[in-house]
């Protein structure tokens, strides 16, 4: 695999101080990534909708210093210094230092905030790490003005992946594929790419309402969950199935068959959780209200002839997906019925988005 392309050769400029601010979104997988090998190589290809409203905004102030062998950074989350988040970020810098050797020349001050409530159970690693990756790439662009935007996005996704696999899918939008797949041109295990084929108009402005069923700390982290796919009795079949499902999803996205979309998306969500139920040790991340909501969605779909469906990530929250033309009726259903199964009746309306956005740094 060609990782050498991401090691900078010439860094012509010397810059004493620079600050960059990036807003990067969360994403929700339609075909799931669950299982990986080192270094952050997925066992199967996945595809996700990039979200619009759930995002992280991160500013990094770089100030040049004597080069040392340690990466120096301070970390503030929502205005407060966060020692407990530092090990994950320090780990990320270790994994990317070969590709971003300039980080040893700077003291970095990272200021981050999320648009969604803290510890809402919404994965913040995808948006959080992709934002840091974009800030690093903005610095690299200043140090080497020859970089194209295409390369910047590709390398940002490559770096983000080293922090958290799903973060590789948070640089672009509205649909991103990560993982090498024979039918998706340009796809790679190293970085996410925008879905390269024309998508049917029914998926434009697709809606995702995130129902916050359980905001508590997950009992089993994604990292542990991925690891349990090693020696899992169904792992090989699952990886093969996911790749086949991506072929099916590619066709569905181009042709716009919503019935097929619904059954594939829901099957992917339940298969992900089935892998958790059949791991050794086994675990359950769904809560009773997750199942209540799924049943309500199925009843609503049948009785109203709706195209509503659900998906899940590694937690109890439910993502409700529906086409933009059903927004009024589905939002009413969410407010009147599904909200009752959410913690403190909390949910977030989101829709597909287009990826990372640069802010003017004040
Ligand atoms: C269930 O990207 O959080 O959301 O690479 O260990 O950081 P790490 O895992 P992570 O796993 C996400 C798993 C998932 C499915 C998906 O987003 O594809």
């Amino acid at each position: 695999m060609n990782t050498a392309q991401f090691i900078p050769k010439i860094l012509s400029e010397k810059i004493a101080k620079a600050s960059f601010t990036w807003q990067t979104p969360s994403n929700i997988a339609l075909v799931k990534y669950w299982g990986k090998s080192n270094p952050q190589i997925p066992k199967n290809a996945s595809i996700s909708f990039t979200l619009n409203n759930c995002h992280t905004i991160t500013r990094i102030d770089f100030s040049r210093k004597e080069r040392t062998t340690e990466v120096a950074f301070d970390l503030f989350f929502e205005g407060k210094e966060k020692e407990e988040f530092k090990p994950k970020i320090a780990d990320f810098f270790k994994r990317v230092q070969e590709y971003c050797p300039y980080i040893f020349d700077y003291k970095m001050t990272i200021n981050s905030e999320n648009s969604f409530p803290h510890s809402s159970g919404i994965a913040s690693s995808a948006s959080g790490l992709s934002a840091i990756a974009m800030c690093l790439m903005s610095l690299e662009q200043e140090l080497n003005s020859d970089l194209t935007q295409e390369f910047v996005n590709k390398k940002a996704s490559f770096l983000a992946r080293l922090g958290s696999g799903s973060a590789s899918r948070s640089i672009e939008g509205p649909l991103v594929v990560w993982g090498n797949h024979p039918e998706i041109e340009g796809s790679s295990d190293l970085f996410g790419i925008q879905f390269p084929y024309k998508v049917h108009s029914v998926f434009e402005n697709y809606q995702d309402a995130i129902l916050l069923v359980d905001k508590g700390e997950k009992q089993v982290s994604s990292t542990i969950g991925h690891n349990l796919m090693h020696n899992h009795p169904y792992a090989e079949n699952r990886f093969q199935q996911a790749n086949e499902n991506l072929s099916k999803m590619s066709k569905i996205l181009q042709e716009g068959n919503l019935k097929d979309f619904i059954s594939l998306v829901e099957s992917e969500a339940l298969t992900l959780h089935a892998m958790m139920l059949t791991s050794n040790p086994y675990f359950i991340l769904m809560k009773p209200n997750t199942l209540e909501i799924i049943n309500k969605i199925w009843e609503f779909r049948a009785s109203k002839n709706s195209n509503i469906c659900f998906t899940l990530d590694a937690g109890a929250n439910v993502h409700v997906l529906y086409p933009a033309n059903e927004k009024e009726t589905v939002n009413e259903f969410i407010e009147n019925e599904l909200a009752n199964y959410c913690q403190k009746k909390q949910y977030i309306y989101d829709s597909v988005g287009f990826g990372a956005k640069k802010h003017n740094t004040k």
Side-chain angles (χ1 to χ4, degrees):
M1 258 176 290
N2 182 13
T3 52
Q5 61 176 312
F6 299 118
I7 300 176
K9 281 166 204 79
I10 11 149
L11 293 171
S12 45
E13 309 291 332
K14 281 209 165 27
I15 285 159
K17 268 185 191 306
S19 296
F20 306 100
T21 307
W22 279 93
Q23 171 180 324
T24 58
S26 188
N27 68 72
I28 180 69
L30 304 172
V31 174
K32 309 288 182 182
Y33 145 62
W34 197 243
K36 61 178 168 181
S37 56
N38 265 334
Q40 294 282 99
I41 299 297
K43 290 284 191 180
N44 62 259
S46 57
I47 185 166
S48 50
F49 271 143
T50 304
L51 296 182
N52 189 47
N53 301 334
C54 289
H55 61 244
T56 297
I57 297 175
T58 294
R59 169 188 168 135
I60 304 189
D61 300 313
F62 297 91
S63 79
R64 203 167 170 95
K65 64 166 183 61
E66 218 27 45
R67 192 176 172 87
T68 49
T69 50
E70 288 287 301
V71 178
F73 70 98
D74 286 328
L75 180 65
F76 297 85
F77 182 72
E78 289 169 357
K80 293 197 192 81
E81 191 147 22
K82 279 279 177 193
E83 282 302 317
E84 64 267 39
F85 291 177
K86 273 183 109 174
K88 195 171 168 117
I89 306 300
D91 220 41
F92 169 71
F93 285 133
K94 260 204 194 90
R95 292 189 204 173
V96 302
Q97 65 189 33
E98 186 187 352
Y99 307 102
C100 307
Y102 44 82
I103 56 177
F104 293 108
D105 297 326
Y106 289 90
K107 163 82 193 288
M108 294 178 274
T109 306
I110 306 171
N111 270 287
S112 215
E113 63 189 51
N114 290 340
S115 65
F116 42 89
H118 181 45
S119 72
S120 55
I122 296 177
S124 56
S125 64
S127 53
L129 289 162
S130 52
I132 296 178
M134 287 309 295
C135 291
L136 292 179
M137 287 315 295
S138 286
L139 176 66
E140 188 169 324
Q141 239 176 340
E142 297 269 317
L143 298 171
N144 176 4
S145 50
D146 292 342
L147 303 185
T148 63
Q149 198 52 45
E150 191 192 342
F151 177 83
V152 166
N153 281 2
K154 196 195 234 191
K155 181 165 171 183
S157 172
F158 169 83
L159 297 175
R161 177 199 114 243
L162 290 169
S164 177
S166 54
S168 68
R169 300 188 311 239
S170 276
I171 304 292
E172 295 181 293
L175 280 156
V176 177
V177 174
W178 168 46
N180 185 29
H181 191 283
E183 288 169 32
I184 310 283
E185 218 179 303
S187 60
S188 169
D189 285 348
L190 298 180
F191 45 80
I193 59 157
Q194 227 178 91
F195 180 68
Y197 310 113
K198 191 168 164 31
V199 176
H200 193 279
S201 59
V202 75
F203 295 109
E204 258 166 44
N205 196 22
Y206 221 72
Q207 304 291 302
D208 178 7
I210 307 161
L211 309 183
L212 305 179
V213 172
D214 185 51
K215 307 199 295 165
E217 185 80 0
K218 280 187 277 187
Q219 290 118 320
V220 180
S221 71
S222 287
T223 311
I224 295 172
H226 283 288
N227 276 335
L228 290 172
M229 288 302 276
H230 298 299
N231 305 319
H232 190 295
Y234 308 132
E236 283 313 314
N237 280 338
R238 162 60 196 155
F239 302 144
Q240 195 187 330
Q241 178 204 43
N243 283 326
E244 286 163 13
N245 281 349
L246 184 48
S247 300
K248 290 182 189 159
M249 185 56 81
S250 170
K251 189 163 179 277
I252 291 168
L253 291 169
Q254 294 174 69
E255 292 177 357
N257 185 331
L258 280 181
K259 297 284 171 258
D260 289 351
F261 177 79
I262 291 166
S263 65
L264 195 55
V265 165
E266 292 191 345
S267 166
E268 271 291 315
L270 294 178
T271 304
L272 168 72
H273 284 258
M275 290 299 112
M276 301 173 188
L277 301 177
T278 48
S279 293
N280 182 14
Y282 46 77
F283 60 104
I284 304 178
L285 296 182
M286 292 182 287
K287 297 281 178 197
N289 280 349
T290 311
L291 299 181
E292 293 286 355
I293 290 168
I294 290 174
N295 277 309
K296 287 277 168 199
I297 288 174
W298 285 344
E299 275 171 29
F300 182 86
R301 186 161 75 221
S303 66
K304 298 281 191 297
N305 201 16
S306 160
N307 286 307
I308 188 174
C309 72
F310 72 87
T311 188
L312 307 167
D313 54 18
N317 295 336
V318 181
H319 286 250
V320 185
L321 300 179
Y322 45 106
N325 66 4
E326 289 192 34
K327 202 166 155 178
E328 212 172 305
T329 48
V330 172
N331 289 7
E332 201 180 292
F333 168 55
I334 290 170
E335 282 148 37
N336 294 341
E337 292 210 42
L338 299 184
N340 296 322
Y341 300 95
C342 299
Q343 253 187 20
K344 297 195 192 140
K345 296 201 169 191
Q346 278 186 305
Y347 52 87
I348 297 168
Y349 285 132
D350 211 334
S351 56
V352 295
F354 296 90
K357 288 185 196 150
K358 193 168 187 188
H359 285 210
N360 288 329
T361 305
K362 284 160 228 136

